[in-house]
Amino acid sequence: MSILKTSQGKPTMHTLKRQQGYSLIEVLVSVVVLAVGFLGMTGLQARSLQSSQNSVLRTQAAFLSYDILEKMRGNPTANTAAAYAGKNGITEATNCLTTSCTTDQLAAFDVLSWKCTINSIFCKDSVNNNLISTTSELPNGKGTISASNGKVTIAIEWSEERSSNPTARQSFVLETTL
């Protein structure tokens, strides 16, 4: 394309008219590119928040697993995994925070308060009918303790609230010897 110039070296009106409109198209393209970029960043932020929440739940499950393990180690007379594993199905126990307990009652209280912390059921002690725990750390949480051949296995399952698959269950399993 040839550019026509006047005697002073300036472009003529003819070439200026041809260049009009290019800057408007460039602005529109850049706005579209920015809009797509912002949408992508918003999606990344939402995914980051979901992953952060899932990480908090997994950390809480690990903490609760080690919590019951330390309670088992802190009850030396009933320090067998079978004593704690046999309490999986209990629904009430003596509150050992307010009443003197035997080692077996302490094991039952530890398991029940642990299970109440994992899920959102209201647990009551069998003596005073007082609430042991009303807080839930994991959504739809479930915890089990099993023992065999000197090993104890602590398993916790929960549902991730903001998961793309709400029926999917997450789990944390701790296996150790006492």
Side-chain angles (χ1 to χ4, degrees):
M1 165 172 121
S2 65
I3 299 175
L4 301 174
K5 296 186 180 180
T6 62
S7 60
Q8 290 96 14
K10 295 182 180 178
T12 64
M13 195 66 145
H14 178 64
T15 58
L16 289 177
K17 285 186 179 180
R18 286 177 141 178
Q19 294 178 0
Q20 287 179 344
Y22 283 114
S23 62
L24 181 61
I25 292 172
E26 290 171 354
V27 168
L28 288 174
V29 168
S30 65
V31 166
V32 168
V33 168
L34 281 173
V36 169
F38 284 139
L39 285 173
M41 286 176 42
T42 303
L44 278 173
Q45 183 68 21
R47 184 71 174 154
S48 173
L49 288 173
Q50 179 183 358
S51 295
S52 177
Q53 176 65 21
N54 295 346
S55 176
V56 167
L57 293 175
R58 185 165 296 282
T59 301
Q60 191 63 34
F63 172 77
L64 290 169
S65 295
Y66 284 103
D67 178 56
I68 192 65
L69 183 63
E70 290 305 314
K71 287 179 180 180
M72 292 168 77
R73 288 181 176 149
N75 190 356
T77 308
N79 193 9
T80 62
Y84 278 78
K87 307 287 189 254
N88 278 323
I90 63 169
T91 57
E92 61 179 36
T94 302
N95 188 342
C96 295
L97 298 174
T98 59
T99 307
S100 294
C101 293
T102 65
T103 56
D104 190 53
Q105 288 173 324
L106 181 59
F109 175 74
D110 287 344
V111 171
L112 187 61
S113 61
W114 176 70
K115 286 183 170 237
C116 290
T117 304
I118 291 172
N119 56 35
S120 59
I121 62 172
F122 292 95
C123 299
K124 297 182 177 187
D125 71 52
S126 59
V127 174
N128 301 321
N129 207 28
N130 292 331
L131 294 175
I132 293 174
S133 173
T134 60
T135 59
S136 172
E137 300 295 336
L138 299 170
N140 300 318
K142 178 184 174 189
T144 57
I145 302 169
S146 59
S148 76
N149 300 330
K151 289 189 178 187
V152 61
T153 303
I154 300 167
I156 298 178
E157 292 183 354
W158 69 94
S159 298
E160 292 183 348
E161 295 172 324
R162 297 183 180 129
S163 174
S164 58
N165 183 2
T167 60
R169 306 267 300 162
Q170 298 296 319
S171 64
F172 181 85
V173 178
L174 173 65
E175 186 174 297
T176 188
T177 56
L178 287 179

